């Protein structure tokens, strides 16, 4: 026993002498330790907790963390906690590991004008048209152009919903929209989209809409059903026109600088799990859409089914407006239609 104690004391003294003589300490932040640290990704979006898109983002988080075996960690920030869409885009262009959602109308303002057409009125007859387009060579080319602007599309198969119109007076034909002030997001695509239908589009933040409807500043707004319902706009606008003027799919993007910093395996995990979460999102969205329509009916909203052919005919002129054709590639409408097949 005494020999063991003596041996230990000698060993301790030798270690102390080595440390005093400048023996190298364990490296700080060595390669092995750094590799063990997970890549932390922040996903920010405007939608609130509990909405279909929020549920799907949390599914995406689960899939990424599970498939990466702990090498990737996802933090979700609903309700604009990371700032506005433009704030987050600025962060990703600066190289931060952030993700947000955007769409073609936004990308048109970010240096890829042809992308804006995907938000044009009645471009898609069915959701299958939209999904076919996202798998086409044309879409791949547009995505590559967006990457040149510093933005990488990770997944495009997320349904945001058919966009319908909620108004204070009934709208049964395009003629009924004449002179009506309809709130739209502040982008040229959606402004012109309602102009060709005969309305007076009024760009405005969504948070201002309820009061503006009450005060008569506007006569209505457009959006997918859950957004219209959750905003309680039907308390002051009792006519819901199921015109489905846009089949709104959304995409999720990150900065190309961050994406290129990931390993090929991590890149694949982020993309594949994003597509899986998109399928989950679409299933939830379809269920919620049906439930929301029933809620509108139960709360006294008149549901108006329309002849969409009349609206589509009125919208045809959108695709020949000089404001777009002067920027778009020649024959863009025909090219996009061909790529839906």
């Amino acid at each position: 026993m005494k020999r063991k104690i003596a041996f230990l004391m000698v060993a301790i003294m030798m270690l102390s002498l080595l440390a005093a003589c400048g023996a190298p300490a364990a490296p700080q932040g060595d390669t092995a330790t750094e590799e063990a640290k997970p890549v932390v990704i922040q996903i920010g979006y405007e939608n609130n907790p509990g909405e279909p898109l929020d549920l799907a983002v949390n599914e995406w988080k689960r899939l990424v963390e599970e498939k990466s075996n702990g090498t990737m960690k996802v933090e979700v920030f609903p309700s604009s906690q990371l700032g506005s869409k433009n704030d987050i885009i600025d962060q990703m262009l600066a190289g931060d590991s952030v993700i947000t959602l955007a769409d073609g109308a936004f990308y048109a303002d970010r240096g890829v004008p042809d992308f804006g057409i995907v938000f044009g009125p009645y471009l898609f007859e069915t959701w299958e048209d939209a999904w076919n387009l996202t798998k086409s060579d044309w879409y791949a080319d547009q995505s590559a152009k967006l990457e040149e602007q510093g933005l990488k599309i990770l997944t495009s198969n997320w349904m945001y919903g058919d966009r319908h119109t909620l108004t204070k007076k009934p709208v049964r034909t395009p003629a009924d929209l004449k002179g009506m002030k309809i709130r739209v997001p502040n982008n040229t695509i959606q402004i012109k989209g309602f102009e060709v239908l005969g309305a007076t589009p009024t760009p405005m933040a969504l948070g201002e809409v309820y009061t503006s409807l009450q005060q008569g500043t506007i006569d209505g707004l457009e959006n997918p059903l859950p957004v219209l319902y959750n905003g309680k706009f039907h308390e002051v606008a009792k006519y819901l026109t199921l015109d489905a003027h846009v089949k709104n799919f959304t995409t999720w993007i990150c900065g190309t600088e961050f994406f290129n910093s990931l390993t090929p395996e991590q890149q694949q995990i982020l993309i594949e799990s994003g597509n899986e979460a998109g399928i989950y999102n679409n299933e939830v969205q379809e269920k919620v859409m049906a439930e929301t329509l029933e809620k509108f009916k139960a709360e006294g909203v008149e549901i108006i089914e329309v002849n969409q052919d009349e609206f589509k005919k009125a919208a045809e002129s959108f695709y020949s407006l000089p404001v777009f054709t002067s920027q778009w590639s020649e024959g863009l409408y025909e090219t996009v239609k061909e790529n839906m097949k």
Side-chain angles (χ1 to χ4, degrees), residues 90-152:
D90 288 341
Q91 292 173 40
M92 65 179 65
L93 289 175
D96 291 353
S97 55
V98 293
I99 293 173
T100 195
L101 76 166
D103 51 56
F106 176 84
Y107 301 144
D109 294 335
R110 285 277 174 169
V112 190
D114 283 2
F115 236 144
I117 198 172
V118 303
F119 227 84
Y122 298 104
L123 180 69
F124 303 117
E125 294 282 341
T126 65
W127 280 102
E128 194 61 31
D129 287 343
W131 306 140
N132 285 343
L133 185 65
T134 63
K135 299 170 187 172
S136 70
D137 291 340
W138 176 86
Y139 193 85
D141 289 343
Q142 301 308 307
S143 299
K145 290 177 181 178
L146 191 63
E147 286 187 41
E148 293 174 3
Q149 304 299 319
L151 301 175
K152 168 70 178 179

Side-chain angles (χ1 to χ4, degrees), residues 8 21 73 117 128 141-142 148 155 173 199 206 221 256 264 302 304 336:
L8 286 172
C21 293
K73 180 182 178 184
I117 198 172
E128 194 61 31
D141 289 343
Q142 301 308 307
E148 293 174 3
T155 176
T173 68
L206 197 60
L221 73 156
T256 53
E302 181 179 338
I304 302 172
V336 167

